Amino acid sequence: MTETSASARTTPWFARPAARAWTCAPAPAGVRDFHASLPGYAPTPLTELPSLAAELGVGRVFVKDESARLGLPAFKVLGTSWAVHRLLAGRPAGERVEFVTATDGNHGRAVAREARRLGNGAHVFVSQGVHPGAAAAIESEGARVTRVAGDYDRAVREAAAAARATAHAVLVQDTAWPGYEEVPALIVEGYATLFAEVDEQLAAAGAGAPGLVVVPVGVGSLAQAAVTHYRGRPASGPGAAPALLAVEPTAAAPALASLTRGEPVTVPTRTTAMAGLNCGTLSSLAWPYLRDGLDAATAVPDPAAATALRDLTALGVPSGPCGAAPLAAARAALTDTARRTALAVTPTTTVVLLSTEGREANPHG
């Protein structure tokens, strides 16, 4: 039986095992085919790490490595490319637009890259705390960057206002609020490719379906995509639906707070090395999926993510702090007997950790 570690005892936790019985509509068809048509597309690696499986007391551990996705160091371009593709399909051919967005780093660069690829402009609002190197990377894509003296939520408000006030501007935001749902929904759809790849790669490795998937949460769009993928298809038998564990920084954990309260909660945020997850408000579209489809949520401090980052790097996975958070969460969850039970994790379980960014995505010390 697994013993409870000191870090597990002090890590906040929410669990709802009934989530495995909840179902929703699946993601739309055609997303993977679109991504496969893009120049430079290739599935990102799913790296097996037996030493982590031994440490965590499970059958197999795989890390989905998003450090080089379509030429960018994070997964975000999957959502932005699909959303921009669908948005432009409904506009006159050859019309030039300016894509406007707010970012903690990765999303903004992905929007800027797509704008440049398609011959359009981009205006990116960068929240306080984003490393200057990440802002410079966005500018290197040809985007106009406005630095905001405030947090991510304020940057979103300023970006939305700028888009409303600018002719031929289109807001491409990965968080939703009442009255702004179409584009965030398209971005979530775009993330379906990541999970389709995981399915194929696990099958090729002879691993079958995962028993636990750990996903980092910022505004919740990737977690919504995970819920859609794993709850939007029939399970093949009892216990076949995987447990889904969400992880946030302790400095910015609106999902954990919202799940604990049973309603959406905006939380104050503090500086964190997990800059891409430094969000205080969940997407209004994501919240129902997280509420009903997540088995558990936790929040990890920066030192735990830093340790996980060093360990992943030593094992050959070039992760950034956000991408390392799932390993920190798995350690906090799977060294506690009650938490393992809530997640239905056994010594034969296959675990998938989503490493959503590489070290270059949000430079850090």
Side-chain angles (χ1 to χ4, degrees):
M1 192 66 69
T2 304
E3 296 181 356
T4 302
S5 70
S7 62
R9 287 193 300 270
T10 59
T11 303
W13 180 259
F14 172 89
R16 183 179 172 270
R20 259 157 281 168
W22 185 75
T23 58
C24 62
V31 179
R32 174 74 179 281
D33 289 342
F34 163 74
H35 285 133
S37 74
L38 295 178
Y41 169 78
T44 55
L46 186 72
T47 304
E48 184 168 11
L49 298 176
S51 63
L52 290 185
E55 174 194 336
L56 297 172
V58 297
R60 303 175 77 173
V61 170
F62 294 85
V63 178
K64 183 62 168 167
D65 175 6
E66 291 292 308
S67 62
R69 171 65 77 174
L70 287 167
L72 291 176
F75 76 102
K76 293 281 191 174
V77 69
L78 290 174
T80 59
S81 61
W82 173 250
V84 165
H85 164 70
R86 293 290 305 277
L87 287 168
L88 293 181
R91 304 178 75 92
E95 178 186 19
R96 194 174 189 276
V97 300
E98 181 176 65
F99 296 110
V100 181
T101 194
T103 189
D104 277 331
N106 295 330
H107 172 74
R109 187 175 180 189
V111 170
R113 172 67 64 89
E114 283 302 292
R116 185 179 71 169
R117 184 176 72 85
L118 297 170
N120 291 291
H123 186 185
V124 180
F125 288 73
V126 177
S127 57
Q128 185 175 309
V130 172
H131 193 282
I138 296 169
E139 289 179 318
S140 76
E141 303 290 348
R144 178 160 56 109
V145 170
T146 296
R147 290 166 176 80
V148 175
D151 62 10
Y152 174 79
D153 288 357
R154 179 171 177 179
V156 169
R157 292 193 296 270
E158 293 194 13
R164 289 192 299 268
T166 306
H168 305 292
V170 178
L171 184 66
V172 184
Q173 203 59 57
D174 56 350
T175 186
W177 54 86
Y180 184 75
E181 290 95 6
E182 178 189 5
V183 173
L186 291 171
I187 288 173
V188 171
E189 289 177 2
Y191 297 152
T193 292
L194 186 157
F195 298 100
E197 291 175 2
V198 169
D199 286 347
E200 294 175 359
Q201 291 166 321
L202 287 175
L212 173 64
V213 178
V214 190
V215 55
V217 175
V219 296
S221 293
L222 180 63
Q224 179 184 345
V227 171
T228 299
H229 183 77
Y230 292 109
R231 309 293 186 235
R233 58 185 184 178
S236 59
L244 301 178
L245 169 61
V247 57
E248 301 168 285
T250 53
L256 182 63
S258 299
L259 291 166
T260 302
R261 281 271 297 270
E263 62 183 3
V265 175
T266 293
V267 301
T269 62
R270 305 186 306 277
T271 301
T272 172
M274 292 170 270
L277 304 179
N278 196 0
C279 308
T281 303
L282 292 174
S283 168
S284 62
L285 281 180
W287 164 243
Y289 288 83
L290 274 57
R291 177 194 64 205
D292 296 333
L294 287 176
D295 292 77
T298 191
V300 298
D302 279 20
T307 298
L309 186 155
R310 289 193 297 270
D311 292 343
L312 288 173
T313 300
L315 292 169
V317 178
S319 182
C322 299
L327 174 55
R331 284 170 164 163
L334 301 185
T335 54
D336 180 278
T337 302
R339 294 179 181 185
R340 286 178 72 97
T341 300
L343 295 170
V345 169
T346 73
T348 63
T349 295
T350 293
V351 176
V352 174
L353 309 176
L354 302 183
S355 179
T356 50
E357 66 176 13
R359 291 183 63 87
E360 295 76 20
N362 276 305
H364 54 280

